């Protein structure tokens, strides 16, 4: 599976969840954002010129996880690959779970390589335990 196929699957999940997505150019250091709006569909805004090493498909899965898995306490979230608060931990775990569920759907457990997964998505070593666990469950 390549990033294009994977992104089509994540885009389908975004659409099925009733989330709008928009692409725009900001500064390269500006993160993607998701807005949780009252009486409106949530909105994911992807910065198409982001200098993030994390591929767009993973960033989309992260923002999707904020909407579907979040506790609803915030009205907006900026993309962060860190684990600085509970909302980011939830979104990062959801991102890994959504991507792994697609990538490994037809791959036996013994052939799943979490190092390869981390390298493919440019994830820091702080993700190792989450990726290892989720890949075994996917």
């Amino acid at each position: 599976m390549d990033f294009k196929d994977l992104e089509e699957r994540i885009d389908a999940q975004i659409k099925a969840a009733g989330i709008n997505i928009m692409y725009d150019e900001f500064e390269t250091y500006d993160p993607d954002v998701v807005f949780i709006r009252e009486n409106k569909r949530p909105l994911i805004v992807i910065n198409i010129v982001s200098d993030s090493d994390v591929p767009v498909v993973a960033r989309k899965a992260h923002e999707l996880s904020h909407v579907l898995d979040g506790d609803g306490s915030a009205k907006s979230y900026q993309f962060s690959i860190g684990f600085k608060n509970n909302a980011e931990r939830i979104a990062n775990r959801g991102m890994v779970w959504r991507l792994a569920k697609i990538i490994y759907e037809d791959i036996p457990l013994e052939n799943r390589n979490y190092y390869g997964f981390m390298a493919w998505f440019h994830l820091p070593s702080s993700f190792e335990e989450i990726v290892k666990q989720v890949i075994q469950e996917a």
Side-chain angles (χ1 to χ4, degrees), residues 7-69:
E7 192 165 355
E8 286 174 2
R9 300 272 300 270
I10 293 295
D11 285 348
Q13 289 181 23
I14 291 169
K15 183 178 180 180
I19 301 168
N20 291 337
I21 190 161
M22 179 181 123
Y23 301 86
D24 209 336
E25 286 186 31
F26 302 109
E27 297 297 327
T28 57
Y29 53 80
D30 286 330
D32 306 315
V33 182
V34 63
F35 297 99
I36 313 293
R37 308 175 300 174
E38 285 188 40
N39 302 318
K40 292 184 180 180
R41 291 175 158 210
L43 174 65
I44 295 173
V45 181
I46 299 295
N47 180 4
I48 60 174
V49 295
S50 172
D51 61 5
S52 175
D53 288 340
V54 178
V56 170
V57 65
R59 294 175 6 223
K60 285 180 179 182
H62 175 97
E63 301 305 346
L64 173 62
S65 295
H66 272 305
V67 176
L68 297 182
D69 305 329

Side-chain angles (χ1 to χ4, degrees), residues 73-121:
S73 62
K75 299 299 177 201
S76 66
Y77 299 94
Q78 295 182 346
F79 177 75
S80 170
I81 202 66
F83 292 93
K84 64 184 176 184
N85 59 44
N86 194 48
E88 292 307 318
R89 284 188 289 278
I90 291 168
N92 285 330
R93 183 175 181 75
M95 171 189 72
V96 171
W97 182 81
R98 284 179 170 74
L99 296 171
K101 202 76 166 141
I102 296 168
I103 293 167
Y104 296 112
E105 65 188 350
D106 295 325
I107 297 176
L109 279 174
E110 62 273 8
N111 295 339
R112 297 178 185 184
N113 178 340
Y114 74 93
Y115 287 118
F117 184 96
M118 290 180 60
W120 205 33
F121 294 107

